[in-house]
Amino acid sequence: MTINPVLTSSTSLERYLPENDNSNYFKLSSIAQNIARYAGTAAEYLGAGGISGPYNELIAAQTEAQMQLMQVSLQSNLSRTEHETKMAVVRNVRVA
């Protein structure tokens, strides 16, 4: 995260505005995609290794549910971080 100076006050303290940094979102989404790929590979491997019948369907359903949970968690964390960042700006304005 880089910082841009915006104003200097009479006390010579500098104020900074945060920059929008979406690079972490792309890193997290690529991590989630890799996890999904490896989970799918593991499920295929286990399916070929002798697990048969309804267990394959259960493993596939569990993998899908875990992926959905990870995606919801990722979106929730990003939204919360965005909200907290915006609220920090509002709190700084109230103090100044």
Side-chain angles (χ1 to χ4, degrees), residues 6-95:
V6 175
L7 297 172
T8 55
S9 67
S10 60
T11 61
S12 73
L13 295 176
E14 295 181 1
R15 294 184 181 217
Y16 297 97
L17 289 177
E19 289 184 354
N20 190 5
D21 184 12
N22 290 330
S23 62
N24 289 335
Y25 173 75
F26 296 111
K27 291 176 188 174
L28 291 174
S29 64
S30 67
I31 290 171
Q33 289 172 353
N34 285 335
I35 290 171
R37 186 177 70 218
Y38 290 122
T41 303
E44 290 172 8
Y45 176 75
L46 289 174
I51 298 175
S52 61
Y55 295 114
N56 282 335
E57 294 173 12
L58 290 174
I59 290 172
Q62 182 176 0
T63 303
E64 182 180 344
Q66 287 174 339
M67 287 306 303
Q68 288 176 356
L69 179 63
M70 286 192 316
Q71 289 173 354
V72 168
S73 178
L74 174 67
Q75 289 175 344
S76 173
N77 289 340
L78 290 173
S79 295
R80 180 180 43 162
T81 302
E82 181 182 7
H83 173 73
E84 288 174 356
T85 303
K86 290 178 181 179
M87 287 304 297
V89 172
V90 171
R91 288 184 193 106
N92 287 339
V93 169
R94 288 182 189 168
V95 171

